[in-house]
Amino acid sequence: MTKTFFITGVSSGLGLAFAKAALDVGHRVVLPSSYIGGPRYMNQRFQDTIALVRYYEGFDLFVTFTCNPCWPEIIAELLPSQTASDRPDLSVRVFNMYKTALVNELVKDNIFGPSSGYVYTIEFQKRGLPHMHLLLSLSPASRLETAQQVDSVISASWPDPDRQPRLFDVVRRSMVHGPCGRSKPDAACMKDGVCSKGFPKPFQAETVLTRDGYPLYARPDDGRSYNVRGFDADNRWIVPYNPYLLSRCVTFM
């Protein structure tokens, strides 16, 4: 009997033994809805959210809040040569601190007016940074029912660099989409030759409310454009933002 034949026989025998034992080992476990992240947990949260939508007749604001790896609370605790991606524990703790402060401003300080309810979910980007998607239901008296009310809360154009230099700097760093399209056809957002996010948006003289609940934000063709990441970006490339919250948190919102 050669060594190769012996090893092959042992390997085959062990494989059959493990296969047979696998049928008798352990038992099926059904994860309950109390197990965070499990299928029943996610389904229960989904059903709860749908119940809120039905009770409050929909939500009024959709807020996206992303962890900023340049927050001073993160930078101050990094070791030499480390980045925020190397310290997910630190990023998550600081993000949770900012997230709690944001939710308190929305539902306790009522910066957009009295709210009826809210729901949010936390997701993680590929590079490990957390971000939140939040739906906020405002009281009937606080709902944005006119174009002027929408403009008082949401902007989709360049701020004045002379009167609002801090806001302008944050928008330039965090709220400009691109480059993509002809400027960068291999960008991650490009699908079948077009931007999957719909940029650049068409110019819009004034905000228009649509029947589906998604306003067409004002993006005036005022001739202003600024160089961002190697291309000239006008109002068609601005991601909608709330000036107060953006300046407050210095993040992508």
Side-chain angles (χ1 to χ4, degrees), residues 47-212:
Q47 297 297 337
D48 290 343
T49 302
I50 294 301
L52 290 174
V53 173
R54 182 168 57 247
Y55 183 80
Y56 293 118
E57 299 181 353
F59 291 95
D60 301 288
L61 294 176
F62 176 75
V63 180
T64 297
F65 182 72
T66 302
C67 178
N68 187 344
C70 296
W71 275 331
E73 294 86 353
I74 295 179
I75 298 298
E77 300 300 327
L78 295 177
L79 297 176
S81 77
Q82 279 191 334
T83 65
S85 298
D86 299 320
R87 291 291 306 278
D89 58 323
L90 178 61
S91 300
V92 168
R93 288 175 180 271
V94 175
F95 172 78
N96 185 66
M97 177 182 68
Y98 274 86
K99 181 265 295 179
T100 301
L102 171 63
V103 172
N104 286 339
E105 288 202 80
L106 294 175
V107 304
K108 293 183 179 180
D109 298 339
N110 298 323
I111 61 174
F112 295 135
S115 60
S116 301
Y118 70 97
V119 62
Y120 66 82
T121 182
I122 305 294
E123 300 174 355
F124 286 83
Q125 299 169 336
K126 290 183 179 179
R127 62 179 182 273
L129 295 176
H131 65 276
M132 173 180 68
H133 297 299
L134 181 143
L135 294 171
L136 180 69
S137 178
L138 300 174
S139 65
S142 303
R143 289 178 176 170
L144 310 178
E145 297 179 342
T146 67
Q148 291 72 25
Q149 290 175 324
V150 172
D151 289 338
S152 69
V153 173
I154 302 171
S155 178
S157 59
W158 282 105
D160 191 311
D162 297 322
R163 294 189 303 166
Q164 300 171 298
R166 172 182 168 85
L167 179 62
F168 175 82
D169 181 63
V170 177
V171 169
R172 190 173 187 173
R173 285 189 288 112
S174 304
M175 303 306 296
V176 177
H177 183 82
C180 66
R182 287 181 295 179
S183 300
K184 191 175 181 181
D186 59 343
C189 62
M190 297 293 291
K191 304 295 181 184
D192 299 324
V194 297
C195 175
S196 60
K197 310 301 181 183
F199 286 91
K201 306 287 186 181
F203 284 119
Q204 185 76 25
E206 59 184 20
T207 297
V208 176
L209 302 182
T210 60
R211 299 186 64 179
D212 62 4

